[in-house]
Coordinates of all heavy atoms in Angstrom, one line a residue:
M1 N 133.0 122.7 104.6 CA 134.2 122.5 105.4 C 135.3 121.9 104.5 O 135.0 121.1 103.6 CB 133.9 121.6 106.5 CG 135.1 121.2 107.4 SD 134.6 120.2 108.7 CE 135.8 120.7 109.9
L2 N 136.5 122.4 104.6 CA 137.6 122.0 103.9 C 138.6 121.2 104.7 O 138.8 121.5 105.9 CB 138.3 123.2 103.2 CG 137.5 124.0 102.3 CD1 138.4 125.2 101.8 CD2 137.0 123.2 101.1
Q3 N 139.2 120.2 104.2 CA 140.2 119.4 104.8 C 141.6 119.6 104.1 O 141.6 119.6 102.9 CB 139.9 117.9 104.8 CG 138.7 117.5 105.6 CD 138.4 116.0 105.4 OE1 138.6 115.4 104.4 NE2 137.8 115.4 106.5
Y4 N 142.6 119.8 104.9 CA 143.9 120.1 104.3 C 144.9 119.0 104.7 O 144.9 118.5 105.8 CB 144.5 121.5 104.9 CG 143.5 122.6 104.7 CD1 142.5 122.9 105.6 CD2 143.7 123.4 103.5 CE1 141.7 124.0 105.3 CE2 142.8 124.5 103.3 CZ 141.8 124.8 104.2 OH 141.0 125.8 103.9
Q5 N 145.8 118.7 103.7 CA 146.8 117.7 104.0 C 148.1 118.2 103.2 O 148.1 118.3 102.0 CB 146.4 116.4 103.5 CG 147.4 115.3 103.7 CD 147.0 114.0 103.2 OE1 146.1 113.8 102.4 NE2 147.8 112.9 103.5
W6 N 149.2 118.4 104.0 CA 150.5 118.7 103.4 C 151.3 117.4 103.2 O 151.4 116.6 104.1 CB 151.3 119.6 104.3 CG 150.7 121.0 104.3 CD1 149.7 121.5 105.2 CD2 151.0 122.1 103.5 NE1 149.4 122.8 104.9 CE2 150.2 123.2 103.8 CE3 151.9 122.3 102.4 CZ2 150.3 124.4 103.2 CZ3 152.0 123.5 101.8 CH2 151.2 124.5 102.2
I7 N 151.7 117.1 102.0 CA 152.4 115.9 101.6 C 153.8 116.3 101.1 O 154.0 117.1 100.2 CB 151.7 115.2 100.5 CG1 150.2 114.9 101.0 CG2 152.4 113.9 100.2 CD1 149.3 114.7 99.8
H8 N 154.9 115.7 101.7 CA 156.2 115.9 101.3 C 156.5 115.3 99.9 O 156.1 114.1 99.7 CB 157.2 115.4 102.3 CG 158.6 115.8 102.1 ND1 159.7 115.0 102.3 CD2 159.1 117.0 101.7 CE1 160.8 115.6 102.0 NE2 160.5 116.9 101.6
Y9 N 157.1 116.0 99.0 CA 157.4 115.5 97.7 C 158.9 115.7 97.4 O 159.3 116.6 96.7 CB 156.6 116.3 96.7 CG 156.6 115.8 95.3 CD1 156.6 114.5 94.9 CD2 156.7 116.7 94.2 CE1 156.6 114.1 93.6 CE2 156.7 116.3 92.9 CZ 156.7 115.0 92.6 OH 156.7 114.6 91.3
P10 N 159.7 114.8 98.0 CA 161.2 115.1 98.1 C 161.9 114.9 96.8 O 163.0 115.4 96.6 CB 161.7 114.1 99.1 CG 160.7 113.0 99.1 CD 159.4 113.6 98.8
E11 N 161.3 114.1 95.8 CA 162.1 113.7 94.6 C 162.5 114.9 93.8 O 163.4 114.8 93.0 CB 161.2 112.8 93.8 CG 161.0 111.4 94.4 CD 159.9 111.4 95.4 OE1 159.2 112.4 95.6 OE2 159.7 110.3 96.1
T12 N 161.8 116.0 93.9 CA 162.1 117.2 93.0 C 163.0 118.2 93.6 O 163.3 119.2 93.0 CB 160.7 117.9 92.7 OG1 160.2 118.3 93.9 CG2 159.8 117.0 91.9
G13 N 163.5 117.9 94.9 CA 164.3 118.9 95.5 C 165.7 118.5 95.7 O 166.1 117.4 95.3
T14 N 166.5 119.3 96.4 CA 167.9 119.0 96.7 C 168.0 118.5 98.2 O 169.1 118.1 98.6 CB 168.8 120.1 96.5 OG1 168.4 121.3 97.2 CG2 168.8 120.5 95.0
F15 N 167.0 118.7 99.0 CA 167.0 118.3 100.4 C 166.5 116.9 100.7 O 166.4 116.5 101.8 CB 166.1 119.4 101.2 CG 166.4 119.3 102.7 CD1 167.5 119.8 103.2 CD2 165.4 118.9 103.5 CE1 167.7 119.8 104.6 CE2 165.5 118.9 104.9 CZ 166.7 119.4 105.4
Y16 N 166.2 116.2 99.6 CA 165.6 114.8 99.8 C 166.5 113.8 100.4 O 166.0 112.9 101.0 CB 165.1 114.3 98.4 CG 166.2 114.0 97.5 CD1 166.8 112.7 97.4 CD2 166.7 114.9 96.6 CE1 167.8 112.4 96.6 CE2 167.7 114.6 95.7 CZ 168.3 113.4 95.7 OH 169.3 113.1 94.9
S17 N 167.8 114.0 100.4 CA 168.7 113.0 101.0 C 168.7 113.1 102.5 O 169.1 112.1 103.1 CB 170.1 113.3 100.5 OG 170.6 114.5 100.9
M18 N 168.1 114.1 103.1 CA 168.0 114.2 104.5 C 166.8 113.3 105.0 O 165.8 113.2 104.3 CB 167.7 115.6 105.0 CG 168.8 116.6 104.5 SD 170.3 116.3 105.4 CE 171.3 117.6 104.7
P19 N 166.9 112.7 106.1 CA 165.8 111.8 106.5 C 164.6 112.7 106.9 O 164.7 113.8 107.3 CB 166.3 111.1 107.8 CG 167.5 112.0 108.2 CD 168.0 112.6 107.0
W20 N 163.4 112.2 106.7 CA 162.1 112.9 106.9 C 162.1 113.3 108.4 O 161.5 114.4 108.7 CB 160.9 112.0 106.6 CG 159.7 112.7 106.9 CD1 158.8 112.3 107.9 CD2 159.1 113.8 106.3 NE1 157.7 113.2 108.0 CE2 157.9 114.1 107.0 CE3 159.5 114.7 105.3 CZ2 157.0 115.1 106.6 CZ3 158.6 115.7 105.0 CH2 157.5 115.9 105.6
M21 N 162.7 112.6 109.3 CA 162.7 113.0 110.7 C 163.4 114.3 111.0 O 163.3 114.8 112.1 CB 163.2 111.8 111.5 CG 162.5 110.6 111.5 SD 160.7 110.8 111.9 CE 160.8 111.1 113.6
S22 N 164.1 114.8 110.0 CA 164.7 116.1 110.1 C 163.7 117.3 110.2 O 164.1 118.4 110.6 CB 165.7 116.4 109.0 OG 166.7 115.4 108.9
W23 N 162.5 117.0 109.8 CA 161.4 118.0 109.7 C 160.5 117.9 110.9 O 160.2 116.9 111.5 CB 160.5 117.8 108.5 CG 161.2 118.0 107.2 CD1 161.8 117.1 106.4 CD2 161.3 119.3 106.6 NE1 162.2 117.7 105.3 CE2 162.0 119.0 105.3 CE3 160.9 120.5 106.9 CZ2 162.2 120.0 104.4 CZ3 161.2 121.6 106.0 CH2 161.8 121.3 104.8
Q24 N 160.1 119.1 111.3 CA 158.9 119.2 112.2 C 157.9 120.0 111.5 O 158.2 121.1 111.0 CB 159.3 119.9 113.5 CG 160.3 119.1 114.4 CD 160.6 119.9 115.6 OE1 160.3 121.1 115.8 NE2 161.4 119.3 116.5
I25 N 156.7 119.5 111.4 CA 155.6 120.2 110.7 C 154.6 120.6 111.7 O 154.0 119.7 112.3 CB 155.0 119.4 109.5 CG1 156.1 119.0 108.5 CG2 153.9 120.1 108.8 CD1 155.7 118.1 107.4
E26 N 154.3 121.8 111.8 CA 153.2 122.3 112.7 C 152.1 122.7 111.8 O 152.2 123.5 110.9 CB 153.7 123.5 113.5 CG 154.9 123.2 114.4 CD 155.5 124.4 115.0 OE1 154.9 125.5 114.9 OE2 156.6 124.3 115.6
G27 N 150.9 122.1 112.1 CA 149.7 122.5 111.4 C 149.6 121.7 110.0 O 149.1 122.3 109.1
A28 N 150.0 120.5 110.0 CA 149.9 119.7 108.7 C 148.5 119.5 108.2 O 148.4 119.1 107.0 CB 150.6 118.4 108.9
D29 N 147.5 119.7 109.0 CA 146.1 119.6 108.5 C 145.4 120.9 108.5 O 144.2 121.0 108.7 CB 145.4 118.6 109.4 CG 145.4 118.9 110.9 OD1 146.1 119.9 111.3 OD2 144.7 118.3 111.6
T30 N 146.2 122.0 108.4 CA 145.6 123.4 108.3 C 146.1 124.1 107.1 O 147.0 123.6 106.4 CB 146.0 124.2 109.6 OG1 147.5 124.4 109.5 CG2 145.7 123.5 110.9
P31 N 145.4 125.2 106.7 CA 145.9 125.9 105.5 C 147.2 126.6 105.7 O 147.9 126.8 104.7 CB 144.8 126.9 105.2 CG 144.0 127.0 106.5 CD 144.2 125.7 107.2
T32 N 147.6 126.9 106.9 CA 148.9 127.6 107.2 C 149.7 126.6 107.9 O 149.3 126.1 109.0 CB 148.7 128.9 108.0 OG1 147.8 129.7 107.3 CG2 150.0 129.6 108.2
V33 N 150.9 126.4 107.4 CA 151.8 125.4 108.0 C 153.2 126.0 108.3 O 153.6 127.0 107.7 CB 151.9 124.1 107.1 CG1 152.7 124.5 105.9 CG2 152.5 123.0 107.8
R34 N 153.9 125.4 109.3 CA 155.2 125.9 109.6 C 156.1 124.7 109.6 O 155.9 123.7 110.2 CB 155.3 126.5 111.0 CG 156.7 127.0 111.4 CD 156.7 127.6 112.7 NE 156.3 129.0 112.5 CZ 156.3 130.0 113.3 NH1 156.8 129.7 114.6 NH2 156.0 131.2 113.0
F35 N 157.2 124.8 108.8 CA 158.2 123.8 108.7 C 159.4 124.2 109.5 O 159.9 125.3 109.4 CB 158.7 123.6 107.2 CG 157.6 123.4 106.3 CD1 157.1 124.4 105.4 CD2 156.9 122.2 106.2 CE1 156.1 124.2 104.5 CE2 155.9 122.0 105.3 CZ 155.5 123.0 104.5
R36 N 159.9 123.3 110.3 CA 161.2 123.5 111.1 C 162.1 122.4 110.8 O 161.7 121.2 110.8 CB 160.9 123.6 112.6 CG 160.0 124.8 112.9 CD 159.8 124.8 114.4 NE 158.9 125.8 114.8 CZ 159.2 126.9 115.5 NH1 160.4 127.1 115.9 NH2 158.2 127.8 115.8
I37 N 163.4 122.7 110.6 CA 164.4 121.7 110.4 C 165.0 121.5 111.8 O 165.3 122.4 112.6 CB 165.5 122.2 109.4 CG1 164.8 122.4 108.1 CG2 166.6 121.2 109.3 CD1 165.7 123.0 107.0
H38 N 165.3 120.2 112.0 CA 165.9 119.8 113.3 C 167.2 120.6 113.5 O 168.0 120.7 112.5 CB 166.2 118.3 113.3 CG 166.5 117.8 114.7 ND1 167.8 117.9 115.2 CD2 165.7 117.2 115.6 CE1 167.8 117.3 116.4 NE2 166.5 116.9 116.7
P39 N 167.5 121.1 114.7 CA 168.7 121.9 114.9 C 170.0 121.1 114.6 O 171.1 121.7 114.4 CB 168.7 122.2 116.4 CG 167.3 121.9 116.9 CD 166.7 121.0 115.9
N40 N 170.0 119.8 114.7 CA 171.2 119.0 114.4 C 171.6 118.9 112.9 O 172.6 118.5 112.5 CB 171.1 117.6 114.9 CG 171.1 117.6 116.4 OD1 171.6 118.5 117.1 ND2 170.6 116.5 117.0
V41 N 170.6 119.3 112.0 CA 170.9 119.3 110.6 C 171.7 120.5 110.2 O 171.3 121.7 110.5 CB 169.6 119.3 109.8 CG1 169.8 119.4 108.3 CG2 168.8 118.0 110.1
K42 N 172.9 120.3 109.7 CA 173.8 121.4 109.4 C 173.8 121.6 107.8 O 174.2 120.6 107.2 CB 175.2 121.2 109.9 CG 175.2 121.0 111.4 CD 174.7 122.2 112.2 CE 174.8 122.0 113.7 NZ 173.9 122.8 114.4
L43 N 173.4 122.7 107.3 CA 173.5 122.9 105.9 C 174.7 123.8 105.5 O 175.0 124.7 106.3 CB 172.2 123.7 105.4 CG 170.9 123.0 105.6 CD1 169.7 123.9 105.2 CD2 170.8 121.7 104.8
T44 N 175.3 123.4 104.4 CA 176.5 124.2 104.0 C 176.1 125.1 102.8 O 176.9 126.0 102.4 CB 177.6 123.3 103.6 OG1 177.2 122.4 102.6 CG2 178.1 122.5 104.8
S45 N 175.0 124.8 102.2 CA 174.5 125.6 101.0 C 173.0 125.6 101.0 O 172.4 124.8 101.6 CB 175.1 125.0 99.7 OG 174.5 123.7 99.5
P46 N 172.4 126.6 100.3 CA 171.0 126.6 100.2 C 170.4 125.3 99.5 O 171.0 124.7 98.7 CB 170.7 127.8 99.3 CG 171.9 128.7 99.4 CD 173.0 127.7 99.6
Q47 N 169.3 124.9 100.0 CA 168.6 123.7 99.5 C 167.2 124.0 99.2 O 166.7 125.1 99.6 CB 168.7 122.6 100.6 CG 170.1 122.2 101.1 CD 170.8 121.5 100.0 OE1 170.3 120.6 99.4 NE2 172.1 121.8 99.9
H48 N 166.5 123.1 98.6 CA 165.0 123.3 98.4 C 164.4 121.9 98.4 O 165.0 120.9 98.1 CB 164.7 124.1 97.2 CG 165.0 123.4 95.9 ND1 166.2 123.4 95.3 CD2 164.2 122.6 95.1 CE1 166.2 122.7 94.2 NE2 165.0 122.2 94.0
T49 N 163.1 121.9 98.7 CA 162.3 120.7 98.7 C 160.9 121.2 98.3 O 160.6 122.4 98.3 CB 162.3 119.9 100.0 OG1 161.7 118.7 99.8 CG2 161.6 120.7 101.1
Q50 N 160.0 120.2 98.1 CA 158.6 120.6 97.7 C 157.6 119.8 98.5 O 157.9 118.7 99.0 CB 158.4 120.3 96.2 CG 159.3 121.3 95.4 CD 158.9 121.2 93.9 OE1 157.8 120.8 93.5 NE2 159.8 121.7 93.1
F51 N 156.5 120.4 98.7 CA 155.3 119.8 99.3 C 154.1 120.0 98.4 O 154.1 120.9 97.6 CB 155.0 120.5 100.7 CG 156.0 120.2 101.7 CD1 157.2 120.9 101.8 CD2 155.8 119.2 102.7 CE1 158.2 120.6 102.8 CE2 156.7 118.9 103.7 CZ 157.9 119.6 103.7
V52 N 153.2 119.1 98.6 CA 151.9 119.2 97.9 C 150.9 119.4 98.9 O 150.8 118.7 99.9 CB 151.6 117.9 97.1 CG1 150.2 118.0 96.5 CG2 152.7 117.7 96.0
L53 N 150.0 120.5 98.7 CA 148.9 120.7 99.5 C 147.7 120.2 98.9 O 147.4 120.5 97.7 CB 148.7 122.2 99.8 CG 147.5 122.7 100.5 CD1 147.4 122.0 101.9 CD2 147.4 124.2 100.6
A54 N 147.0 119.2 99.5 CA 145.7 118.7 99.0 C 144.6 119.3 99.9 O 144.6 119.2 101.1 CB 145.7 117.2 99.2
V55 N 143.6 119.9 99.2 CA 142.5 120.5 99.9 C 141.2 119.7 99.3 O 141.0 119.7 98.1 CB 142.4 122.0 99.6 CG1 141.2 122.6 100.3 CG2 143.6 122.7 100.0
T56 N 140.4 119.2 100.2 CA 139.3 118.4 99.9 C 138.0 119.0 100.5 O 138.1 119.4 101.7 CB 139.4 116.9 100.4 OG1 140.6 116.4 99.8 CG2 138.2 116.1 99.9
D57 N 137.0 119.2 99.8 CA 135.7 119.7 100.3 C 134.8 118.6 100.8 O 135.2 117.4 100.7 CB 135.0 120.6 99.3 CG 134.5 119.9 98.1 OD1 134.4 118.6 98.1 OD2 134.1 120.5 97.2
N58 N 133.7 118.9 101.4 CA 132.8 117.9 101.9 C 131.6 117.7 101.0 O 130.5 117.3 101.5 CB 132.4 118.1 103.4 CG 131.6 119.4 103.5 OD1 131.6 120.3 102.6 ND2 131.0 119.6 104.6
G59 N 131.7 118.0 99.8 CA 130.6 117.9 98.8 C 130.3 116.4 98.5 O 131.0 115.5 98.9
D60 N 129.3 116.2 97.6 CA 129.0 114.9 97.2 C 128.9 114.9 95.7 O 127.9 115.4 95.1 CB 127.6 114.5 97.8 CG 127.3 113.0 97.5 OD1 128.2 112.2 97.2 OD2 126.1 112.7 97.4
P61 N 129.9 114.5 95.0 CA 131.1 113.8 95.5 C 132.1 114.9 96.0 O 132.1 116.0 95.6 CB 131.7 113.1 94.3 CG 131.3 114.0 93.1 CD 129.9 114.5 93.5
A62 N 133.0 114.4 96.9 CA 134.1 115.3 97.4 C 135.1 115.6 96.3 O 135.4 114.7 95.5 CB 134.7 114.7 98.6
L63 N 135.5 116.9 96.2 CA 136.5 117.3 95.2 C 137.8 117.6 95.9 O 137.7 118.2 97.0 CB 135.9 118.5 94.4 CG 134.6 118.3 93.7 CD1 134.2 119.6 93.1 CD2 134.8 117.2 92.7
T64 N 138.9 117.3 95.3 CA 140.2 117.6 95.9 C 141.0 118.4 94.9 O 141.0 118.1 93.7 CB 140.9 116.3 96.2 OG1 140.2 115.5 97.1 CG2 142.3 116.6 96.8
R65 N 141.7 119.4 95.3 CA 142.6 120.3 94.5 C 144.0 120.1 95.1 O 144.1 120.1 96.3 CB 142.1 121.7 94.6 CG 143.1 122.7 94.1 CD 143.0 122.8 92.6 NE 143.5 124.1 92.1 CZ 144.8 124.2 91.7 NH1 145.6 123.3 91.7 NH2 145.1 125.4 91.2
Y66 N 144.9 120.0 94.2 CA 146.3 119.8 94.6 C 147.2 121.0 94.1 O 147.0 121.5 93.0 CB 146.9 118.5 94.0 CG 146.2 117.3 94.4 CD1 145.1 116.8 93.7 CD2 146.6 116.6 95.6 CE1 144.5 115.7 94.0 CE2 145.9 115.5 96.0 CZ 144.8 115.0 95.2 OH 144.2 113.9 95.6
Q67 N 148.1 121.5 95.0 CA 149.0 122.6 94.6 C 150.4 122.3 95.2 O 150.5 122.0 96.4 CB 148.5 123.9 95.1 CG 149.3 125.1 94.7 CD 149.3 125.3 93.2 OE1 148.2 125.4 92.6 NE2 150.4 125.5 92.6
R68 N 151.4 122.3 94.3 CA 152.7 122.1 94.7 C 153.3 123.4 95.3 O 153.1 124.5 94.7 CB 153.6 121.6 93.6 CG 154.9 121.0 94.0 CD 155.7 120.3 93.0 NE 155.1 120.1 91.7 CZ 155.6 119.4 90.7 NH1 156.8 118.9 90.9 NH2 155.1 119.3 89.6
V69 N 154.1 123.3 96.4 CA 154.7 124.4 97.0 C 156.2 124.2 97.2 O 156.6 123.1 97.7 CB 154.1 124.7 98.4 CG1 154.8 125.9 99.1 CG2 152.6 124.9 98.3
K70 N 157.0 125.1 96.6 CA 158.5 124.9 96.8 C 158.9 125.7 98.0 O 158.6 126.8 98.3 CB 159.2 125.5 95.5 CG 160.7 125.4 95.6 CD 161.3 125.9 94.3 CE 162.8 125.8 94.4 NZ 163.5 126.3 93.2
V71 N 159.8 125.0 98.8 CA 160.3 125.6 100.1 C 161.8 125.7 99.9 O 162.5 124.7 99.7 CB 159.9 124.6 101.3 CG1 160.5 125.2 102.6 CG2 158.4 124.5 101.4
N72 N 162.3 127.0 100.1 CA 163.7 127.2 100.0 C 164.2 127.2 101.4 O 163.6 127.7 102.3 CB 164.0 128.6 99.4 CG 163.6 128.6 97.9 OD1 163.9 127.7 97.2 ND2 162.8 129.6 97.5
I73 N 165.4 126.5 101.6 CA 166.0 126.4 102.9 C 167.4 127.0 102.9 O 168.2 126.6 102.0 CB 166.1 124.9 103.3 CG1 164.7 124.2 103.1 CG2 166.7 124.7 104.7 CD1 164.8 122.7 102.9
F74 N 167.7 127.9 103.8 CA 169.0 128.6 103.8 C 169.7 128.2 105.1 O 169.1 128.1 106.1 CB 168.8 130.1 103.7 CG 168.1 130.5 102.4 CD1 166.8 130.7 102.3 CD2 168.9 130.7 101.2 CE1 166.2 131.1 101.2 CE2 168.3 131.0 100.1 CZ 166.9 131.3 100.0
P75 N 171.1 128.1 105.0 CA 171.8 127.8 106.2 C 171.9 128.9 107.1 O 171.6 130.0 106.8 CB 173.2 127.5 105.6 CG 173.3 127.8 104.2 CD 171.9 128.1 103.8

């Protein structure tokens, strides 16, 4: 069995100045996730941010693999 965790990594993007509450994350503990930006957030130019996906197995010892994912955001 695998456990999934999506972690926001804002320091590497241009969308980091927006508050985290601007995001809605559906399925943050699943392999497939959907990001939605709050409708009140108005973008004037394309932005990007990054997330890290951590996947951990149930072995002994448990092993975790990390992969960074870049998300492009268009107005």
Side-chain angles (χ1 to χ4, degrees):
M1 178 177 210
L2 299 176
Q3 295 177 325
Y4 302 89
Q5 179 184 12
W6 289 88
I7 306 159
H8 190 221
Y9 187 41
E11 291 83 5
T12 60
T14 58
F15 194 69
Y16 68 91
S17 62
M18 304 291 182
W20 176 250
M21 296 306 290
S22 299
W23 290 97
Q24 292 177 352
I25 300 177
E26 298 173 8
D29 59 351
T30 65
T32 303
V33 70
R34 176 178 280 191
F35 307 105
R36 293 180 189 247
I37 298 175
H38 193 278
N40 290 340
V41 175
K42 304 298 181 203
L43 297 177
T44 58
S45 64
Q47 304 288 316
H48 69 273
T49 192
Q50 294 190 18
F51 288 82
V52 174
L53 172 60
V55 180
T56 305
D57 67 12
N58 63 345
D60 185 26
L63 301 176
T64 302
R65 169 80 159 94
Y66 300 91
Q67 183 67 48
R68 194 174 350 186
V69 178
K70 182 177 179 181
V71 177
N72 294 312
I73 308 157
F74 298 97

